[in-house]
Amino acid sequence: MASNLVLYRCSLLSYQYTSAATIIVGRRIVAISGNGFRACKPIRLARNYCSCSCPNPNPNPNDSAFVVANDEKYGNKQIISLTPRLYDYILSNVREPEILRQLREETASMRGSQMQVSPDQAQLLAMLVQILGAKRCIELGVYTGYSSLAVALVLPDSACLVACERDAKSLEVAKKYYELAGVSHKVDVKHGMAADILKSLILNGESCSYDFAFVDAEKRMNQEYFELLLQLVRVDGVIVIDNVLWHGKVADPLVNDAKTVSIRSFNKNIMEDPRVSISMIDQRHKKAKMRLFL
């Protein structure tokens, strides 16, 4: 689902893994940058909310341009939540290629369409790849290929994106659009379980050869994916993990289903992991309550 992202940037340090493969390790830097905070404890918000730019005296929060909550603990900063109106404005400022629009509209009629990333998220992923100058990328959880196509479109012709997906039906849609967009030569499609594919890449001698990875696969496997990707992504590479806020469930102590607990545990492990620098940013929009961006 396109709801949360967390980015891990690897530093200049490295050490030898027990299997003799090089693992990337990093600085211990925590930057929760959604609201400009740097902290390890949960943020408590004051209970004074207000909505702005409302057309009537008794506005529906969904109709207002934005909702503000004052944060008393961290300098009385104002936290603005995206409402449908404000999110629509953001989408109106997204550069979405026609081929991506066509894919998005076809996917909207399919079962599980909520798993497709949003146009603004895909644009961000593509921009990160461009900033990084990435030439070798990995994506776990392709679905119908919206995010992988966005990345492939900005990669140079000599680049490669390893696209991993376990569902053959949705993967066929992705392959069709890679072909229509003229990027099939950049995409190495792999049908199977993500962890197995990553292990095969390591056994194939591809450790530390990738620049960028995006993970939007089975949430309970995030820790294993992360450890495997640390072996595959080069020093100063970037790993982006989707859904780490899980629609806000991770912050609710009353929610303890297996998937939420695993994501909560993964977030804690990453927060305490001295090998990587991290950034966690949230955003709200229509379909998912929160989304995490770099």
Side-chain angles (χ1 to χ4, degrees), residues 9-12 25-29 236 273-277:
R9 178 179 173 84
C10 305
S11 82
L12 298 177
V25 296
R27 300 178 298 272
R28 183 168 187 171
I29 298 176
D236 273 341
D273 195 328
R275 298 174 296 173
V276 291
S277 300

Side-chain angles (χ1 to χ4, degrees), residues 136-152:
R136 286 174 60 80
C137 304
I138 301 174
E139 179 167 322
L140 306 184
V142 168
Y143 186 44
T144 60
Y146 191 90
S147 54
S148 55
L149 179 55
V151 168

Side-chain angles (χ1 to χ4, degrees), residues 59-79:
N60 181 333
N62 290 329
D63 294 330
S64 60
F66 53 87
V67 178
V68 175
N70 289 328
D71 162 42
E72 294 179 343
K73 190 172 182 181
Y74 295 95
N76 292 315
K77 294 183 181 295
Q78 290 186 325
I79 300 140

Side-chain angles (χ1 to χ4, degrees), residues 121-181:
Q121 181 177 338
Q123 180 176 257
L124 175 60
L125 293 172
M127 187 176 69
L128 289 174
V129 166
Q130 288 178 299
I131 292 172
L132 192 61
K135 294 184 178 179
R136 286 174 60 80
C137 304
I138 301 174
E139 179 167 322
L140 306 184
V142 168
Y143 186 44
T144 60
Y146 191 90
S147 54
S148 55
L149 179 55
V151 168
L153 286 169
V154 301
L155 287 173
D157 282 340
S158 59
C160 177
L161 167 63
V162 176
C164 311
E165 174 57 51
R166 66 182 181 182
D167 182 69
K169 184 177 179 180
S170 59
L171 194 56
E172 286 303 312
V173 177
K175 289 164 66 176
K176 178 179 74 173
Y177 277 89
Y178 298 151
E179 186 68 31
L180 289 172

Side-chain angles (χ1 to χ4, degrees), residues 106-284:
E106 179 172 335
T107 303
S109 64
M110 295 175 58
R111 181 180 179 181
S113 60
Q114 74 278 2
M115 293 189 293
Q116 179 178 255
V117 305
S118 59
D120 51 322
Q121 181 177 338
Q123 180 176 257
L124 175 60
L125 293 172
M127 187 176 69
L128 289 174
V129 166
Q130 288 178 299
I131 292 172
L132 192 61
K135 294 184 178 179
R136 286 174 60 80
C137 304
I138 301 174
E139 179 167 322
L140 306 184
V142 168
Y143 186 44
T144 60
Y146 191 90
S147 54
S148 55
L149 179 55
V151 168
L153 286 169
V154 301
L155 287 173
D157 282 340
S158 59
C160 177
L161 167 63
V162 176
C164 311
E165 174 57 51
R166 66 182 181 182
D167 182 69
K169 184 177 179 180
S170 59
L171 194 56
E172 286 303 312
V173 177
K175 289 164 66 176
K176 178 179 74 173
Y177 277 89
Y178 298 151
E179 186 68 31
L180 289 172
V183 299
S184 293
H185 62 289
K186 304 181 193 179
V187 185
D188 182 6
V189 176
K190 293 188 180 294
H191 177 220
M193 303 301 289
D196 293 338
I197 294 170
L198 295 181
K199 290 173 185 176
S200 70
L201 295 177
I202 293 170
L203 290 174
N204 195 42
E206 299 183 41
S207 295
C208 295
S209 67
Y210 289 87
D211 308 298
F212 178 87
F214 174 51
V215 179
D216 189 9
E218 171 55 51
K219 311 311 171 190
R220 285 171 288 190
M221 295 287 290
N222 276 348
Q223 190 66 50
E224 183 172 356
Y225 296 150
F226 181 70
E227 293 298 333
L228 292 169
L229 286 170
L230 279 179
Q231 298 179 58
L232 288 164
V233 176
R234 66 171 173 81
V235 171
D236 273 341
V238 172
I239 302 171
V240 181
I241 310 287
D242 200 13
N243 299 119
V244 294
L245 293 183
W246 203 230
H247 310 293
K249 294 179 183 179
V250 291
D252 188 345
L254 299 180
V255 179
N256 290 292
D257 61 276
K259 192 166 291 188
T260 301
V261 169
S262 68
I263 295 172
R264 193 181 288 142
S265 175
F266 173 71
N267 290 343
K268 183 177 183 295
N269 291 341
I270 295 302
M271 175 68 82
E272 298 172 351
D273 195 328
R275 298 174 296 173
V276 291
S277 300
I278 67 172
S279 182
M280 181 183 285
I281 298 176
D282 70 90
Q283 181 182 9
R284 297 175 185 268

